[in-house]
Amino acid sequence: MTNPKTGYPDGYVIYLVKQVEMGMRRPFEELIAGHGITTPGYTALNVLQTRPGITSSELARRSFARAQTMAETVAALAAAGLVRREKDPGHGRQILLFITPEGADRVAGIAAEITSLETRMMDGLADDEQAELVRALRVVRDALAVVSRSERAPA
């Protein structure tokens, strides 16, 4: 069936988003691998730059990763000196995570290459279309977060 709002077949938007994700995955992974970071590691470092002092479980949620995967990612980042762990002074058993100066330098060292990849990815869009794409993707992301929370909520 055709979606009356988009004019495309049902499921086409999901398929299109998946094509975009798959198309950017390899160049992105190759770019960051050249700097000794994995995709989950890069995501975690970026989250920790904007939200220092969160727990591993919160980092997993914000990074769209499972808790076990994030624990492995954090262990590798800590071993590389890119993340540090601190006991939460207000909660004895809780460990908080912070990006180290080395981690921030690593992310900063990749920034120009990431910008170049994003520029090439959106090369066919005018400046205002690029801004609108970012706005629209944020709206979609936020809507999916609500869907995800409602699916996890107890009935």
Side-chain angles (χ1 to χ4, degrees):
M1 293 187 61
T2 300
N3 183 315
K5 291 184 179 182
T6 66
Y8 290 96
D10 291 341
Y12 180 75
V13 172
I14 291 171
Y15 176 67
L16 191 58
V17 168
K18 185 62 177 176
Q19 285 181 307
V20 169
E21 188 266 336
M22 293 301 291
M24 55 112 338
R25 177 182 285 179
R26 191 167 108 213
F28 177 73
E29 287 178 347
E30 288 174 357
L31 185 160
I32 61 174
H35 294 272
I37 301 178
T38 64
T39 299
Y42 180 79
T43 303
L45 290 173
N46 275 282
V47 171
L48 289 173
Q49 279 191 312
T50 59
R51 302 218 186 269
I54 61 175
T55 64
S56 184
S57 60
E58 178 66 16
L59 180 58
R61 280 191 296 280
R62 292 187 176 277
S63 301
F64 309 101
R66 293 187 342 237
Q68 180 180 351
T69 301
M70 187 51 65
E72 294 166 3
T73 299
V74 167
L77 292 171
L82 305 177
V83 168
R84 77 175 193 282
R85 299 174 175 118
E86 291 182 15
K87 286 189 176 187
D88 183 344
H91 191 285
R93 297 177 62 191
Q94 194 162 277
I95 302 295
L96 304 178
L97 303 172
F98 298 86
I99 190 169
T100 64
E102 295 84 2
D105 288 347
R106 184 77 59 95
V107 171
I110 301 172
E113 292 176 68
I114 295 292
T115 298
S116 176
L117 178 59
E118 286 182 351
T119 299
R120 287 181 285 151
M121 185 174 80
M122 296 193 294
D123 196 34
L125 298 173
D127 291 350
D128 62 327
E129 291 173 319
Q130 290 182 27
E132 178 58 23
L133 175 62
V134 171
R135 187 204 65 76
L137 288 172
R138 286 179 170 193
V139 169
V140 171
R141 177 204 58 202
D142 294 347
L144 287 171
V146 169
V147 169
S148 180
R149 281 193 301 271
S150 69
E151 288 178 355
R152 285 193 310 252

